[in-house]
Amino acid sequence: MAESIQLTAPNNVTYTQPTGLFINNEFVPAQSGETLTTVNPFDESIIAAVASAGTDDVDLAVAAAREAFQAPEWRSMGASERGLLLCRLADLCERDQEILATIDAWDNGKPYDSALNEDVAEVISVFRYYGGWADKIQGRTIETSDAKLAYTRHEPVGVCGQIIPWNYPAMMAAWKLGPALACGNTVVLKAAEQTPLSILYLATLVKEAGFPKGVVNVLNGSGTVAGAAIAGHLGVDKIAFTGSTPTGKAIMKAAANNLKAITLETGGKSPLLVFEDANLDQAVKWSHVGIMSNMGQICTATSRIYVQDSIYDTFVEKFKQYTIENSKVGSQFDPAVNHGPQVSKTQRDRILQYVESAKSEGAELVLGGGVPQAGDKGYFIEPTIFKDTNREMKAVREEVFGPFVVIQAFNSQEDAIKKANDTEFGLGAAVFTENITRGHKVAAAIEAGMVWINSSQDSHFAIPFGGYKQSGIGRELGEYALSAYTQVKAVHVNLGSWL
Ligand code: NAI
Ligand code: MG
């Protein structure tokens, strides 16, 4: 198999797509001889086949990362120079932003405008932001007594295995690569089977930016083979994962063999609370953004809406109308479209099962629930709203990961908080109220890693992102992410008073 091909996307962007595994700054075929094929979820057409790593390939990538971690080219590189490499990578992503956005829109099905202005814009910002951190990672001196000088060094953890999902392919890579590289680690990164392409293109930019060989290695491959091999590899010091909670648990088990450091960003079932004193138009608008953006394929999607009983019927009707008027279903490359296909047939079918289950458990369908006519093919789901749901329903308890929302009523602030926290997850939560005391009190009472007051899905690269409960361990983004990619060494210096 050739290690790159020329592709022309449906929007006529032509580019060179690498198809190998990226190890030691070169694209190589898989030892396994295996490939995986990826499709455009809009029309089910094949885009490309890429090398799929087996366990031998994982061994090679880990060995490359280990050697690079010990090599002076990286280990002794000045921190400012490391930061400059990340800034150069940001510049290259900016230069090629239309290519990166085209690849993720094509491979994932997300609207091109979101891929460009949200995903790729964030990739560029994240690399620049962590480029800025590289030479500001500092230990401390700690005062004890005249007899001792004590200080800490914040050292890199070592070889980091990073396993990412398909909902924000390039962006998830940036969230993980940025802090890992700023802190001086080396990386073996595996993309998701559904979206293998943008990460390989990003690898060409890593090389062009000037990172020494072996610092970043990129594999595609199946979760149960390549992903599991990374998670259980004795040569890997840390695992960072974003994806489902069950896979997060499997990774945590596999990572126990050598007590790897671990950060997990897993599933969610985030609540959105609308109090009777809310600005209703804002609540309606953000409720739509919170569950229909990216076709609901967002870990923080506000997928459970709770509305105070006095405004329940009004809210449901307004939300339904807003969703009808603002969901434009079709091709991800049509500028008028903001709702593309789901990423895969598996995901589409999974959501349809939740529609059936919600109906059979007695929820009332307000909107959608089916497959729209956006073309002959494609993995589409209509924006779907259920009301009069309750805590026992499967669709209320489990992460659906689609444009699928369940609504129920609450009767007091206490009831709202109780319902919001009635979940095994704890990723995000939104609160709509014009009462500032209530806003902050409810934010404090909610068990979640992020709370939005009067918005949903607000995120910024300088602000920590992560979950409570079974939504994860550790934080990404911001200064907080640096602690996930450093370990602290304490140095005790005897100043001579102790013999
Ligand atoms: P998944 O969690 O199985 O896959 C995510 C990543 O983990 C992929 O790169 C996959 O290859 C890898 N992986 C799978 N099994 C592995 C294993 N045993 N060891 C190591 N790596 C492994 O998620 P999947 O199957 O794509 O989607 C299923 C559900 O997961 C979705 O419906 C959604 O509910 C949830 N999900 C949540 C995401 C989030 O952002 N929190 C992202 C993607 C999926
Ligand atoms: Mg695809």
Side-chain angles (χ1 to χ4, degrees):
M1 187 179 74
E3 268 66 71
S4 68
I5 50 176
Q6 283 297 116
L7 290 179
T8 303
N11 62 350
N12 287 325
V13 167
T14 297
Y15 73 100
T16 304
Q17 172 66 56
T19 56
L21 308 173
F22 184 72
I23 299 176
N24 267 329
N25 276 0
E26 300 299 336
F27 288 98
V28 296
Q31 307 264 311
S32 65
E34 308 260 318
T35 58
L36 63 86
T37 302
T38 185
V39 301
N40 174 357
F42 170 67
D43 58 8
E44 306 172 32
S45 59
I46 289 176
I47 304 175
V50 300
S52 176
T55 53
D56 290 349
D57 300 297
V58 171
D59 286 344
L60 285 177
V62 172
R66 176 62 57 194
E67 203 179 319
F69 184 64
Q70 278 147 1
E73 288 80 5
W74 183 242
R75 206 177 181 112
S76 305
M77 181 183 280
S80 305
E81 202 184 329
R82 223 165 52 222
L84 275 176
L85 288 180
L86 275 165
C87 291
R88 209 173 293 149
L89 180 57
D91 292 344
L92 295 174
C93 290
E94 191 163 35
R95 181 195 69 190
D96 291 353
Q97 57 182 314
E98 283 161 8
I99 296 176
L100 283 166
T102 296
I103 302 174
D104 270 352
W106 197 8
D107 210 5
N108 165 283
K110 64 174 66 208
Y112 175 79
D113 278 353
S114 333
L116 183 67
N117 299 315
E118 294 165 27
D119 297 41
V120 180
E122 169 101 351
V123 169
I124 297 162
S125 299
V126 166
F127 285 142
R128 273 200 191 120
Y129 175 78
Y130 284 106
W133 268 116
D135 58 6
K136 296 167 197 71
I137 296 164
Q138 298 162 349
R140 300 180 188 170
T141 58
I142 298 163
E143 298 302 330
T144 54
S145 77
D146 288 351
K148 183 195 279 283
L149 165 65
Y151 64 95
T152 56
R153 292 168 50 80
H154 292 192
E155 298 184 347
V157 182
V159 175
C160 301
Q162 305 187 321
I163 299 172
I164 59 170
W166 42 261
N167 51 346
Y168 291 93
M171 195 173 115
M172 288 297 102
W175 280 25
K176 294 200 165 29
L177 287 171
L181 298 174
C183 297
N185 298 279
T186 61
V187 171
V188 176
L189 192 155
K190 191 194 86 65
E193 294 89 319
Q194 298 84 346
T195 52
L197 301 178
S198 59
I199 183 67
L200 293 175
Y201 191 84
L202 189 64
T204 64
L205 305 183
V206 165
K207 183 174 179 178
E208 189 180 344
F211 283 90
K213 71 183 170 80
V215 170
V216 176
N217 304 278
V218 170
L219 307 177
N220 281 294
S222 88
T224 45
V225 178
I230 294 170
H233 205 292
L234 293 172
V236 172
D237 302 302
K238 183 211 156 62
I239 287 283
F241 166 75
T242 299
S244 67
T245 296
T247 299
K249 289 178 185 176
I251 286 176
M252 199 168 172
K253 266 192 200 145
N257 61 351
N258 62 341
L259 226 58
K260 289 177 185 71
I262 188 159
T263 41
L264 303 174
E265 200 264 282
T266 53
K269 193 75 184 175
S270 300
L272 183 151
L273 309 178
V274 187
F275 287 92
E276 61 189 358
D277 58 23
N279 176 329
L280 205 56
D281 290 335
Q282 287 293 318
V284 164
K285 179 184 94 184
W286 287 107
S287 294
H288 181 264
V289 170
I291 188 63
M292 302 307 171
S293 312
N294 214 38
M295 290 65 74
Q297 302 163 135
I298 315 182
C299 49
T300 48
T302 32
S303 51
R304 291 182 293 141
I305 297 180
Y306 298 96
V307 187
Q308 195 144 15
D309 41 18
S310 52
I311 55 165
Y312 182 80
D313 291 334
T314 317
F315 174 89
V316 171
E317 190 48 36
K318 274 183 173 246
F319 179 48
K320 175 184 170 181
Q321 285 311 322
Y322 188 93
T323 302
I324 291 170
E325 285 159 25
N326 290 280
S327 302
K328 309 284 183 227
V329 180
S331 158
Q332 65 268 50
F333 290 109
D334 178 345
V337 162
N338 65 2
H339 188 109
Q342 307 306 125
V343 74
S344 66
K345 181 172 185 305
T346 309
Q347 288 300 123
R348 195 266 314 271
D349 292 348
R350 219 183 130 180
I351 299 161
L352 289 174
Q353 281 172 12
Y354 280 105
V355 171
E356 288 318 306
S357 123
K359 283 182 184 163
S360 72
E361 290 186 292
E364 186 178 326
L365 184 64
V366 174
L367 187 69
V371 174
Q373 290 303 307
D376 298 343
K377 291 186 164 180
Y379 311 128
F380 286 91
I381 292 275
E382 288 172 329
T384 297
I385 303 172
F386 278 98
K387 69 168 184 174
D388 301 353
T389 58
N390 66 58
R391 69 180 301 280
E392 312 298 337
M393 295 173 176
K394 201 168 133 71
V396 173
R397 308 219 65 81
E398 299 179 7
E399 180 174 56
V400 176
F401 226 61
F404 179 111
V405 67
V406 292
I407 312 182
Q408 55 181 291
F410 67 81
N411 55 33
S412 66
Q413 185 168 313
E414 197 189 354
D415 184 35
I417 293 167
K418 193 166 153 242
K419 288 187 157 114
N421 287 338
D422 182 15
T423 168
E424 67 194 27
F425 298 112
L427 203 46
V431 184
F432 284 84
T433 176
E434 294 294 294
N435 176 334
I436 76 168
T437 307
R438 165 176 277 160
H440 293 294
K441 283 199 163 161
V442 173
I446 283 183
E447 298 157 1
M450 281 89 56
V451 178
W452 302 285
I453 299 179
N454 294 331
S455 75
S456 180
Q457 309 310 306
D458 205 358
S459 175
H460 189 281
F461 47 83
I463 301 174
F465 184 103
Y468 280 27
K469 293 152 92 176
Q470 292 190 39
S471 288
I473 299 176
R475 292 294 176 270
E476 301 195 272
L477 298 182
E479 186 178 356
Y480 289 87
L482 302 174
S483 60
Y485 286 98
T486 46
Q487 51 191 344
V488 177
K489 178 180 283 171
V491 181
H492 299 247
V493 185
N494 178 356
L495 292 183
S497 311
W498 290 3
L499 296 174

